[in-house]
């Protein structure tokens, strides 16, 4: 059986789970604890980043590399359109989602979590000791916002403009490229999970997200599209979304 080593709330790990679900492949999830658990990942794959997929004697890291591997071992249904023009668009959208959108969405979520103790705690690993969870929940939001990179207003505005265009697009067609599900859809949908968590994120996170984006009226068609896609892949209860 395929074995997926992951962080539960990683958008890139969600992308791989979506590919596995789309292809109806059986797999086992190994939840990795940040820090100590990544040492085992390093011994397995030679690096600490997730996701990592184990397929027999083959170990693959990076969500796009894993997706290509799964496309080769299970070509049906294909996540790459047959039309050459459509097929050329898919990796462009996937790369944008995995880089530009992923960077902006991650920073937006970090900033939201810095000012929202409940969101911050919900994002923590389940096996984190309770005293440490309480400590992290009690840290001042202003102090946390001063850590790491910051999403400036220009980056946030650029992301919002791109999301607006996507929201308009999915109101007229169910797929971003061509007339069937593709890697473009899965890559974008996965990164949207950082802006508003889907039902598969669990009760503590489902429906929560980045204020000003997750609840913006113009972006609701995009999140509704993502939720329909998730329902199709994971067969979750739409009422839970």
């Amino acid at each position: 059986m395929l074995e997926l080593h992951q962080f539960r709330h990683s958008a890139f790990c969600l992308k791989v789970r979506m590919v596995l679900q789309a292809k109806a492949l059986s797999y086992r999830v190994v939840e990795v604890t940040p820090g100590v658990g990544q040492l085992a990942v390093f011994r397995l794959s030679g690096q600490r980043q997730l996701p990592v997929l184990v397929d027999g004697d083959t170990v693959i890291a990076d969500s796009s590399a894993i997706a290509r591997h799964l496309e080769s071992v299970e070509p049906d249904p294909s996540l790459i359109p047959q039309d050459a023009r459509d097929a050329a668009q898919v990796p462009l959208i996937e790369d944008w989602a995995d880089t530009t959108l992923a960077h902006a969405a991650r920073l937006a979520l970090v900033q939201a979590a810095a000012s929202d103790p409940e969101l911050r705690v919900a994002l923590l690993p389940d096996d984190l000791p309770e005293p440490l969870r309480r400590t992290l929940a009690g840290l001042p939001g202003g102090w946390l916002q001063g850590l790491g990179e910051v999403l400036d207003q220009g980056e946030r505005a650029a992301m919002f403009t791109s999301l607006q265009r996507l929201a308009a697009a999915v109101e007229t067609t169910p797929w971003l490229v061509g007339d069937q599900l593709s890697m473009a859809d899965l890559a974008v949908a996965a990164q949207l999970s950082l802006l508003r968590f889907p039902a598969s994120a669990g009760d503590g996170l489902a429906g929560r997200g980045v204020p000003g984006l997750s609840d913006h009226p113009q972006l609701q068609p995009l999140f509704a599209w993502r939720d329909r896609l998730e329902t199709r892949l994971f067969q979750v209860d739409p009422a839970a979304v």
Side-chain angles (χ1 to χ4, degrees):
M1 181 180 290
L2 298 167
E3 189 174 81
L4 174 62
H5 295 250
Q6 67 160 21
F7 292 141
R8 180 182 177 189
H9 301 310
S10 161
F12 293 105
C13 295
L14 174 57
K15 175 184 166 185
V16 172
R17 294 200 306 274
M18 285 180 159
V19 175
L20 289 162
Q21 293 289 137
K23 292 183 174 293
L25 292 168
S26 297
Y27 63 99
R28 184 173 79 92
V29 168
V30 178
E31 198 65 38
V32 176
T33 301
V36 62
Q38 289 171 268
L39 295 177
V41 172
F42 180 79
R43 289 193 293 269
L44 179 67
S45 65
Q47 49 84 62
R48 292 180 173 84
Q49 300 302 309
L50 294 170
V52 168
L53 184 77
V54 179
D55 182 3
D57 294 331
T58 303
V59 178
I60 313 105
D62 181 80
S63 65
S64 293
I66 293 171
R68 290 193 296 271
H69 172 77
L70 294 174
E71 187 73 12
S72 67
V73 300
E74 182 50 76
D76 185 34
S78 176
L79 297 175
I80 304 298
Q82 295 298 310
D83 179 80
R85 186 172 182 176
D86 289 344
Q89 292 183 51
V90 167
L92 297 178
I93 296 175
E94 181 184 9
D95 183 66
W96 171 79
D98 287 353
T99 54
T100 304
L101 179 57
H103 175 76
R106 178 179 61 82
L107 293 184
L109 177 61
V110 168
Q111 290 175 8
S115 58
D116 184 345
E118 290 185 5
L119 176 60
R120 190 157 68 240
V121 170
L123 287 167
L124 296 174
D126 292 338
D127 58 356
L128 199 68
E130 188 59 32
L132 183 53
R133 298 174 74 89
R134 290 196 299 269
T135 298
L136 292 173
L139 290 175
W143 182 79
L144 288 170
Q145 287 176 342
L147 297 177
E149 298 176 84
V150 175
L151 183 70
D152 63 37
Q153 291 303 309
E155 288 178 302
R156 187 180 176 107
M159 174 174 62
F160 180 72
T161 297
S162 297
L163 295 176
Q164 278 182 305
R165 291 170 178 165
L166 286 171
V170 298
E171 283 194 285
T172 61
T173 176
W175 313 119
L176 296 180
V177 178
D179 58 1
Q180 65 182 54
L181 179 69
S182 76
M183 276 305 307
D185 301 300
L186 301 185
V188 170
Q191 296 303 329
L192 290 177
S193 71
L194 300 182
L195 300 177
R196 189 167 82 188
F197 283 93
S200 62
D203 293 339
L205 281 172
R208 301 182 67 114
V210 177
L213 294 173
S214 64
D215 52 357
H216 197 288
Q218 293 182 31
L219 301 185
Q220 296 317 298
L222 185 58
F223 291 118
W225 167 81
R226 188 281 309 278
D227 291 341
R228 289 193 298 271
L229 180 56
E230 162 142 319
T231 299
R232 170 185 170 136
L233 293 176
F234 294 96
Q235 298 182 340
V236 296
D237 181 359
V241 177

